Amino acid sequence: MNKRFIKRLVAALLIIVMFVPCTYITSDYVYGEQNSDLQNANDKKNEIESKLEETRKTISDLQQKTSDAQSYIAQLDAKMAEVDASLDELATQIEQLEIEIEETSQKLEAAEADASQQYDAMKMRIQFMYEHNDETYLALLVNSSSMGEMLNRAEYITKISQYDRDMLQKYNDTVSYIAIAKAQLDKDHEDLVAAQASLEDQRAALTLLEETKVAELNSLKSMVSQQESYKAALEADKLAQERLIEQIEAEIRNKEQNGSSNVSYNGGKFKWPTVSTRITSEYGDTEGRTSPHGGIDIGALKRGVAGDPIYAAYDGEVVLSTYSSWGGNYIMINHGGGLYTRYLHCSSLLVKAGTYVTKGQKIALMGTTGDSTGVHLHFDVRYNGKVVNPWNYLSR
């Protein structure tokens, strides 16, 4: 009986020993309500940060389009000023030409009237001389008192005939010149009117284009204003979320101080979180950034190739294992005393929130998810709710 009792007692003790570690770990890595609140708050914050980034990009694009539209409208205004100046110049030229055409037309009418009178008189004299030619010369012979007087009268008649012929030629030349001049003025006037119509069409097109651009500019300004308001609302919401996270972190820290958690940081150096040591962006880097870089970017062993292992830098509890459009797949580990590490842009996550991990344990694989350029790990350290220099804790 004693042997049988001892065997039963030993078996019972073995069973108790087997279950104790599991019970111990389960009770230690769950914070409860605060941990869930922190997860939700961080998810909300990441969502807000993603929307903020999208809003900033939208505002930047709209501002660039607004600037382009304003520049284009200024060019249209300058072009319209040139067209207006050309139209004014053409209007002056057309007005002057119309005056010249009117004057030329009056001269032509007067010349034609004079020529017509001269022509009629000339025809009468020619007809008279033709009809009475013999009588004229006979009268000259009979009525002349001498040969000299007869010759003088004959020369006078010849000069009258030559004068009529000269006046006819002059009439024809004058009428031809005035007609040519008037035709040229009419053509010039027609060309100027056509040019004026073309410029007026250009001005109408420019006016329509400017009106369209002004409407687009006003729409862009309205959109910028709306996006600015949306951005302000997001920033206010982000600030509220950051305060909530700080509050939750403070509650977790209070629980640790009260001894209800086995997570505590003893001041040891962090393990380098990857196999690669190639740094692609240092802590505090501002190149191409709107604010200093809050962590260290570590490139993959083989550039562009995902899948390098990522290790926990120190012992602690995973308080976040989630996805955000900003950080992609990422993990946040609480090491105790308000100290946290974060691992961003992972291709996949190997541990869940609530898991207790040890220094050097593989927790994720390197990738380029979220707002990321190229395969790398963004590693940062938070202390009491603020990002701090990781080099104060790291060792390679």
Side-chain angles (χ1 to χ4, degrees):
M1 290 295 293
N2 290 336
K3 289 183 180 180
R4 190 175 300 172
F5 175 76
I6 291 171
K7 287 181 179 180
R8 290 178 179 176
L9 180 61
V10 169
L13 288 172
L14 286 174
I15 292 171
I16 292 170
V17 169
M18 289 174 63
F19 282 98
V20 165
C22 297
T23 306
Y24 174 78
I25 292 174
T26 302
S27 63
D28 282 344
Y29 68 61
V30 177
Y31 279 116
E33 185 177 352
Q34 284 77 18
N35 187 53
S36 175
D37 289 344
L38 178 61
Q39 175 83 31
N40 294 335
N42 272 283
D43 288 345
K44 181 64 175 177
K45 176 187 172 184
N46 291 329
E47 180 184 351
I48 292 170
E49 287 177 341
S50 175
K51 290 181 179 178
L52 265 174
E53 185 61 28
E54 291 176 2
T55 302
R56 290 191 187 100
K57 290 179 180 178
T58 300
I59 290 173
S60 178
D61 291 343
L62 289 173
Q63 287 174 337
Q64 182 60 50
K65 290 179 180 178
T66 300
S67 177
D68 293 343
Q70 289 173 332
S71 175
Y72 190 62
I73 289 173
Q75 293 177 18
L76 288 177
D77 287 339
K79 184 65 177 177
M80 288 179 70
E82 292 178 7
V83 172
D84 286 340
S86 298
L87 283 171
D88 290 341
E89 183 178 353
L90 278 176
T92 301
Q93 292 178 4
I94 290 172
E95 184 179 354
Q96 183 62 35
L97 268 177
E98 288 174 345
I99 293 173
E100 292 179 13
I101 289 170
E102 180 63 25
E103 292 176 350
T104 302
S105 297
Q106 292 175 1
K107 290 178 181 178
L108 180 60
E109 290 176 2
E112 287 175 344
D114 291 342
S116 179
Q117 293 176 0
Q118 292 177 11
Y119 182 67
D120 290 341
M122 180 184 67
K123 283 197 300 182
M124 290 178 63
R125 287 193 295 272
I126 291 173
Q127 183 179 1
F128 178 81
M129 291 177 65
Y130 177 79
E131 292 175 352
H132 302 283
N133 186 52
D134 293 339
E135 297 177 7
T136 302
Y137 281 98
L138 180 61
L140 287 174
L141 293 174
V142 172
N143 296 328
S144 296
S145 59
S146 65
M147 181 62 70
E149 184 179 358
M150 183 188 68
L151 292 175
N152 287 335
R153 289 184 177 182
E155 183 180 1
Y156 175 73
I157 293 173
T158 301
K159 286 182 178 181
I160 290 176
S161 299
Q162 184 62 44
Y163 172 78
D164 287 337
R165 285 192 296 272
D166 291 343
M167 290 303 296
L168 178 61
Q169 184 62 44
K170 184 178 179 180
Y171 156 76
N172 289 330
D173 292 343
T174 300
V175 170
S176 176
Y177 171 77
I178 292 175
I180 291 172
K182 186 175 184 298
Q184 184 61 47
L185 286 173
D186 288 338
K187 184 178 182 307
D188 291 344
H189 182 268
E190 182 180 344
D191 292 342
L192 286 175
V193 169
Q196 185 183 42
S198 175
L199 283 174
E200 287 174 347
D201 289 342
Q202 290 183 41
R203 195 185 192 289
L206 287 171
T207 299
L208 179 60
L209 189 57
E210 184 173 39
E211 289 173 353
T212 303
K213 278 295 177 182
V214 167
E216 181 182 342
L217 178 60
N218 291 334
S219 175
L220 287 171
K221 287 180 177 179
S222 176
M223 292 172 67
V224 168
S225 178
Q226 292 174 3
Q227 289 296 322
E228 289 285 3
S229 299
Y230 180 54
K231 175 186 171 186
L234 284 176
E235 287 176 342
D237 199 5
K238 177 185 176 183
L239 181 60
Q241 290 299 317
E242 288 176 345
R243 288 174 178 170
L244 178 60
I245 290 172
E246 291 174 0
Q247 178 184 346
I248 295 171
E249 287 179 340
E251 291 175 0
I252 292 175
R253 188 165 58 253
N254 289 335
K255 280 192 169 249
E256 292 174 348
Q257 292 172 353
N258 292 333
S260 58
S261 170
N262 72 329
V263 179
S264 62
Y265 177 60
N266 60 13
K269 282 290 186 179
F270 287 175
K271 173 183 171 56
W272 188 254
T274 65
V275 177
S276 170
T277 57
R278 181 171 57 89
I279 297 174
T280 58
S281 182
E282 255 291 7
Y283 173 77
D285 182 22
T286 57
E287 184 177 355
R289 302 177 185 274
T290 57
S291 60
H293 191 207
I296 298 172
D297 286 351
I298 307 168
L301 271 175
K302 294 182 179 179
R303 295 176 187 270
V305 179
D308 289 0
I310 297 172
Y311 307 110
Y314 210 76
D315 299 348
E317 180 183 15
V318 178
V319 293
L320 279 173
S321 180
T322 186
Y323 175 85
S324 76
S325 56
W326 165 69
N329 295 316
Y330 81 98
I331 287 173
M332 181 174 178
I333 300 175
N334 172 29
H335 302 288
L339 190 64
Y340 298 82
T341 54
R342 294 195 303 180
Y343 312 77
L344 278 60
H345 311 307
C346 306
S347 62
S348 62
L349 306 176
L350 306 181
V351 292
K352 296 180 179 179
T355 305
Y356 187 86
V357 295
T358 57
K359 180 179 179 179
Q361 180 178 337
K362 186 163 71 171
I363 58 174
L365 301 179
M366 190 182 295
T368 183
T369 57
D371 186 11
S372 167
T373 303
V375 177
H376 73 283
L377 167 67
H378 170 97
F379 174 80
D380 64 37
V381 178
R382 289 171 60 88
Y383 180 68
N384 287 339
K386 295 183 179 180
V387 175
V388 295
N389 191 340
W391 291 110
N392 296 334
Y393 301 89
L394 277 170
S395 65
R396 293 202 203 185

